[in-house]
Amino acid sequence: MPIPATRDQVQQDRPDPVPIPPLPMRWGHTYVSITGSNGEGEEIPLTAFNSVKWPAIFIQPGATGLDKAPIELHSDDSPNLDGGIFRSTRAVQREVMIPVYIYGIDRRTLKELKRQLIQQINPRNGYCVIKFVEADSQPRYLYAYYKDGLQGSESEDQAGFKWIKYGLQFTAFDPYYYSDEIRVAEWTFGTEAKPFNPPSTPLLPVKLNRGGLANDSIPVVNPGDVEAWPRWELAGPIESFEITSPSGDSFGIQSGTSYAVDAGRTLTIDTRPGYKTLKDDQGRNYWQDLRPSPVLWPIKEGRSTVSVSIVAGAGQAALRLILHPRYETY
């Protein structure tokens, strides 16, 4: 009986390829600064030696509380079963500690730097903006109130004739970092206003300009780590509008005898908790014009879709979506 020929099942002895390690990306130092008085005071850099009193105030190793926001778990206890039942979770206020070192060229310079720091971050003047900028030039802002750490100590390892150390403690009641404001999308619709009866056209038939936007799946992108509360800007003339989230929450204004947003006016809808306002550029309040049971909803992180229905008047209207993305860490 013939024996079928088969391929050699023994693999040739070949050395495994030498793995090539990935090359690290060049990355600069992180810039850190503190600005008091609700972010309107003098910015105090903690990593840049750009003061005439160099090196002035700068950050030391050992900062804490700068990454993941603290989490609070809610649960119910069962009288008959072991353990508990998870109900919900939420991020709570963040406690931050930043150690700093103050060094002056003489005793007088040290005293001036201490006074400047104490005055700038005094919570009586408002919150502080702690700014972080990595080498990718993407700034992150944490809004926090000074809490403790400036009492000072004159022990040998804490202070000297021209230097002193502090451990600045802050409380961020909003535990998330914010980036710069971004315009996520802008839509224009309708037509430019035209004369009702141009000389070159006959009176009949009458033609009215009318435009609208109606779409159940407009894509939007929130680049942050958590949901963000948007600001919507509607430029009139707009007869009516309704904006709906993917879960079905919505808000809008149905026109009555007049436009929902008049021509030349811009209605700003601020959905942030603690604000929740609908005002135009002249300060008029539109809250009473909202449809029943409105919900000024947030936009989830990542990609999602929203439903927008707008009826424009005789002119060009616009809708803008503006976000302040929020992040877990800098």
Side-chain angles (χ1 to χ4, degrees), residues 51-126:
S51 172
V52 296
K53 301 168 184 175
W54 182 87
I57 305 171
F58 54 96
I59 194 170
Q60 292 283 280
T64 61
L66 298 179
D67 290 319
K68 173 71 176 175
I71 295 297
E72 182 180 86
L73 298 178
H74 295 191
S75 63
D76 291 337
D77 292 331
S78 173
N80 300 320
L81 300 175
D82 296 336
I85 301 173
F86 172 79
R87 289 302 181 190
S88 62
T89 181
R90 73 183 187 97
V92 298
Q93 65 190 36
R94 180 194 297 264
E95 302 294 331
V96 173
M97 194 281 289
I98 299 179
V100 298
Y101 183 92
I102 303 179
Y103 180 76
I105 59 174
D106 52 29
R107 184 67 176 178
R108 180 177 179 179
T109 303
L110 174 65
K111 292 170 62 68
E112 291 177 354
L113 291 172
K114 288 198 297 183
R115 291 194 186 98
Q116 177 192 15
L117 180 62
I118 292 172
Q119 181 182 12
Q120 286 293 323
I121 69 175
N122 189 338
R124 291 179 179 271
N125 300 328

